[in-house]
Amino acid sequence: MEHVEAELRYVLNCTVLSNFALVRQLHLLRIAGEGKAATTEEVAREFQSAIEMGYFAPISIEWLTVLSLSEAELFTFEVIHRRLGAGEASCLAIAQHRGMMVWTDDRDARRYARQAGIAVTGTLGILVRLVEKNVISQAEANAMLALMVQHGYRSPLKDLSVLLNG
């Protein structure tokens, strides 16, 4: 397990997981993560609760390594959790201590990450990555984005061309 964790580079928050789950494209996160993606126990519980509440169809995230907070991370988590939810705080604490990138769309979590020097991306960055790696076309990414917006994702962009061609 420690060998696997040493290879991990990305820690996913529920906002990103939910956006892709809502449009039934969660497998694209697995591809984008290239076997180096993980989540936290707190996010896994949050995601399972969302399934139980009917926000999206039952779907497995077993392909993600689920990380537990170490003692030092727990202290950082408690500080961050005063301002952010458990999922966001757990991802940020782990990223901060393990040098990982956080995948989140939560505005406050992204602000904290920038202030703490934690690398961060979100749904738009992941869609761009998938297009740049020729996993999906720009048209497919824009269609997916439009569908995510229909499901409640508040995207600052309606078209990814500004990020891809700029």
Side-chain angles (χ1 to χ4, degrees):
M1 184 67 158
E2 291 200 20
H3 176 69
V4 171
E5 286 188 26
E7 309 256 334
L8 297 174
R9 294 179 48 199
Y10 316 111
V11 60
L12 283 65
N13 188 14
C14 208
T15 56
V16 168
L17 285 169
S18 297
N19 280 337
F20 282 84
L22 283 167
V23 298
R24 301 179 193 267
Q25 299 295 325
L26 201 57
H27 68 282
L28 291 175
L29 289 177
R30 185 177 191 171
I31 294 167
E34 300 173 327
K36 297 175 176 133
T39 195
T40 66
E41 292 176 340
E42 292 77 8
V43 170
R45 279 193 296 273
E46 215 175 287
F47 190 78
Q48 186 58 41
S49 292
I51 290 171
E52 290 167 6
M53 290 188 281
Y55 288 123
F56 36 82
I59 189 164
S60 172
I61 57 169
E62 287 181 2
W63 53 273
L64 279 172
T65 300
V66 178
L67 302 172
S68 301
L69 294 163
S70 70
E71 193 172 319
E73 291 163 347
L74 187 56
F75 178 78
T76 303
F77 165 82
E78 289 170 357
V79 171
I80 299 169
H81 190 40
R82 293 179 194 144
R83 297 186 340 202
L84 299 172
E88 292 85 3
S90 64
C91 288
L92 289 164
I94 283 177
Q96 192 165 351
H97 284 266
R98 302 185 196 190
M100 297 172 73
M101 174 186 269
V102 176
W103 289 6
T104 184
D105 289 317
D106 183 275
R107 182 183 310 147
D108 293 331
R110 292 172 70 88
R111 184 178 304 123
Y112 179 92
R114 281 191 296 277
Q115 291 170 350
I118 300 168
V120 64
T121 194
T123 296
L124 296 177
I126 295 161
L127 288 170
V128 166
R129 179 186 193 140
L130 290 164
V131 172
E132 289 173 344
K133 291 186 172 285
N134 296 312
V135 175
I136 58 176
S137 69
Q138 183 174 334
E140 288 170 320
N142 280 328
M144 218 175 300
L145 177 59
L147 195 52
M148 288 175 182
V149 168
Q150 283 180 358
H151 283 283
Y153 173 47
R154 291 179 293 208
S155 174
L157 301 173
K158 300 286 185 231
D159 186 321
L160 294 170
S161 62
V162 78
L163 299 175
L164 288 160
N165 306 324

